[in-house]
């Protein structure tokens, strides 16, 4: 999830995005735009540290790599969307 300016940035650069897509910090807090909706039919995985709407896998990106790899099912991604997460 992200704010309106972040959504506009992704929309304007949609042609650069290649699947599979990983969205880091994908939990929907009910007031943020949905990046996933920009890519219907794309292979898309949303991860966050806690369960919720928009979260396909619960994972801690700073934890042990093996745990993260298991959480995403060993998948690899061509595009990562990550806004307002790595403060």
């Amino acid at each position: 999830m992200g704010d309106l300016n972040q959504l506009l940035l992704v929309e304007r650069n949609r042609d650069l995005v290649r699947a599979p897509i990983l969205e880091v910090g994908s939990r929907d807090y009910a007031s943020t735009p949905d990046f996933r909706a920009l890519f219907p039919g794309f292979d898309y995985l949303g991860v966050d540290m806690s369960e919720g709407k928009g979260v396909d896998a619960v994972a801690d990106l700073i934890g042990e790599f093996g745990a993260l790899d298991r959480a995403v099912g060993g998948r690899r991604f061509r595009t990562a969307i990550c806004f307002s997460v790595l403060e």
Side-chain angles (χ1 to χ4, degrees):
M1 297 293 126
D3 70 21
L4 183 56
N5 289 325
Q6 294 165 349
L7 181 67
L8 291 172
L9 176 69
V10 175
E11 278 182 325
R12 290 182 183 145
N13 293 284
R14 186 182 326 197
D15 59 323
L16 300 174
V17 174
R18 301 290 178 264
I21 301 167
L22 173 67
E23 182 184 349
V24 178
S26 62
R27 188 167 175 217
D28 181 357
Y29 289 92
S31 63
T32 52
D34 181 9
F35 295 118
R36 184 187 308 253
L38 297 175
F39 304 102
F42 278 54
D43 184 5
Y44 195 105
L45 184 77
V47 299
D48 206 296
M49 289 183 67
S50 57
E51 293 181 0
K53 182 179 177 189
V55 178
D56 302 305
V58 174
D60 182 354
L61 294 176
I62 64 168
E64 193 264 331
F65 177 77
L68 173 60
D69 194 44
R70 286 186 296 280
V72 300
R75 297 172 60 194
R76 300 298 180 257
F77 303 89
R78 294 187 68 196
T79 301
I81 298 172
C82 180
F83 288 108
S84 302
V85 173
L86 303 176
E87 292 91 5

